[in-house]
Amino acid sequence: MELEDPGLHHSVLADFRERLAEEDRADKLLDLALEKVRAVGLVRERGRQRTDSTHVLSAVRDLTRLERVTEAMRADLEELARRAPHELVALVNEKWAKRYGRAARLGKNPSKPKTRIKETGEDIRLLLRYVHRYLPALRDGEQIQALRQIFVQNYVLDAADRPQWREPEDAGLPPSALAIVSPYDTSARYARRGETRWTGFLAHVTETCAPDTPSVITDVTTTKAPVHDTKALPGILANLDDRNLLSKKHFVDGGYLSVALKQQVAREHGVGLVGPIRARTTRQSREGTVFHREAFTIDWDKKQVTCPQGKMGRRWSTPPSLAAYVNVEFAPDDCRQCPVKTACTRTDARKVTFLPRDLYDILSESRTEQQAQEWLSHYSLRAAIESTISEFVNGHGMRQCRYRSHSKAHVQHVLTAIAVNLERIDVHLPTTPTRQPRTPTALQSFLDWQRIPRPRSWRAATHPAG
């Protein structure tokens, strides 16, 4: 390159990232890296793997609902000012300049909130109508689409076609799985797990856990924050199946596991999920009485259930539902006269709900199995995934998204996984390089010919005293 060459344009890396975010190219890059790892025998099919997840913060700040609609309006005006500034001449005035001329930072207790809500709703309604009627070429803009969705999620039109603020007890608010939290990243979502509350995504990391090889990251899946782990696991196993890297035993925590999913994974992929089945949550099990579901005797062939007092259920039904369950009701007359009724039910008659026979057997076997010390020792392999998550978060900054949008966040996670694999493989492989001996100089060759000893290293040379 000439000295006067300007070099690469500043947008080259951004364009490269944009291409990686399209058509699952980031996952294909991980596929290529894993093929190289498999070629040297560090990853084997049908080994053992483990999966865990961690929350990831989106690259946007937290906004209140009023800040959200105000910032959505401002972002759309910014987009129109870039694409068609002459179209804003008839719209933007001093009032709009005051409301949307700078980033919205109103806080939780803004001044005159009802007035702000009303004015912002009317402004958004006016702008959306104007763009729809007079600017058809700009309707598909990213910010105009975000503004339209945020308006619908926070306002409702009354009988006079005027925007009114949505209230939870009145018009209702969208669930967190659908609610947009920022006009700049419409894929980020709010979620809460225990004491952790965040806006962003979930990153699911899967790695091998063979005793004689380094733990290699085999999959990274990025989901929206409210997506439950049980919904993410089938996609993770499908990715591993495409890479021919399915494991024989797959270790997960209780959040990934359900009885139905355990059966489905074993049937479709031949993978045994190893993890704790959720404990009983009925009132009877919490209070420690003997009348929990396992205390009832089930005759599957006759479709009959007998309670601990010897009474038989009068009705066996399987109502239509997304999850298959069997409901059994006992006669009110039998329950009212029962001497231990207070330890069994608070209603007139006890109702027992349990899984179908095949799932019920898996549930019973799993709960019995996980009480054994052998199972607990075997399941301890899962604990090491916590250190991997810590390595991703503290060593590579995965807790905070560097880019906006779900696809770009996934690119960051995949590139981080490849970097972690390179570090681990570098530590595992021999670190002592084989060096070729240096060719002797003419003097050294002469000394060797005359069999005169000479120093083999410069450190062995002796220097006369100064």
Side-chain angles (χ1 to χ4, degrees), residues 138-187:
L138 303 179
R139 294 175 188 171
D140 297 331
E142 181 179 355
Q143 293 302 331
I144 193 68
Q145 294 296 328
L147 178 64
R148 182 178 291 109
Q149 295 179 63
I150 291 175
F151 177 75
V152 171
Q153 291 182 358
N154 291 276
Y155 287 93
V156 61
L157 299 179
D158 60 12
D161 201 31
R162 293 172 300 187
Q164 300 294 328
W165 196 238
R166 283 184 180 270
E167 299 294 346
E169 64 278 1
D170 187 13
L173 294 174
S176 59
L178 300 177
I180 297 176
V181 296
S182 172
Y184 302 107
D185 191 348
T186 57
S187 60

Side-chain angles (χ1 to χ4, degrees), residues 65-90:
R65 288 182 60 197
L66 181 54
E67 287 177 332
R68 193 179 308 158
V69 295
T70 305
E71 193 64 21
M73 179 69 177
R74 189 182 76 88
D76 189 44
L77 290 175
E78 289 281 358
E79 183 180 64
L80 293 177
R82 288 191 299 269
R83 299 179 62 183
H86 55 281
E87 299 290 350
L88 297 180
V89 175

